[in-house]
Amino acid sequence: MPLNEEAAAAHQSFVQGTYGETSKGVVDYTEQLLFLDLWLRPDLAPRDRSMVTVAALITAGQPDKMSFHLNRAMDNGLTQEEAGGVLAHLAFYAGWPRVFSAMPVAKEVFKNRAD
């Protein structure tokens, strides 16, 4: 899959600046294994990979990590209506409390993208 070099550099700079002194290993693995390998594999389209990631974060009860990935999913082509559909679908599989914990994050992402 093609790499958005500008976005990758910005994300790496953020991760390096925020956590580089805490754990160089985690920072390096995040760049090399996660974003420069896993995210670029051709077996899933970027939109689908993003949707799976958002669903996994909601299911794991990690809505605080969802904002970045929901924005990325929408940059990769996921529409607001589809994102809402993901939330509705996950209510049955991940549970209403997890979905309701994610709803404010989704609402804020949608609002910020509309502005």
Side-chain angles (χ1 to χ4, degrees):
M1 310 289 355
L3 175 65
N4 179 333
E5 292 183 24
E6 184 179 330
H11 186 262
Q12 181 58 18
S13 177
F14 168 78
V15 172
Q16 179 65 42
T18 305
Y19 301 112
E21 292 183 14
T22 304
S23 177
K24 183 172 175 14
V26 171
V27 169
D28 290 347
Y29 295 147
T30 298
E31 179 184 18
Q32 296 299 318
L33 298 175
L34 183 60
F35 288 107
L36 295 178
D37 181 17
L38 181 66
W39 273 91
L40 299 178
R41 292 179 184 178
D43 49 343
L44 287 174
R47 175 192 169 279
D48 298 340
R49 196 172 297 279
S50 288
M51 189 167 40
V52 169
T53 301
V54 169
L57 290 170
I58 293 168
T59 301
Q62 297 291 318
D64 56 315
K65 303 297 181 201
M66 193 179 104
S67 183
F68 170 81
H69 287 286
L70 182 55
N71 271 297
R72 186 170 188 171
M74 295 178 82
D75 290 345
N76 286 335
L78 188 71
T79 67
Q80 182 173 330
E81 292 75 23
E82 291 170 330
V86 168
L87 291 166
H89 191 78
L90 283 173
F92 289 91
Y93 288 92
W96 261 259
R98 295 251 163 122
V99 169
F100 268 94
S101 293
M103 297 268 279
V105 177
K107 181 179 180 178
E108 185 69 18
V109 167
F110 299 158
K111 178 186 172 295
N112 289 341
R113 292 180 73 89
D115 291 342

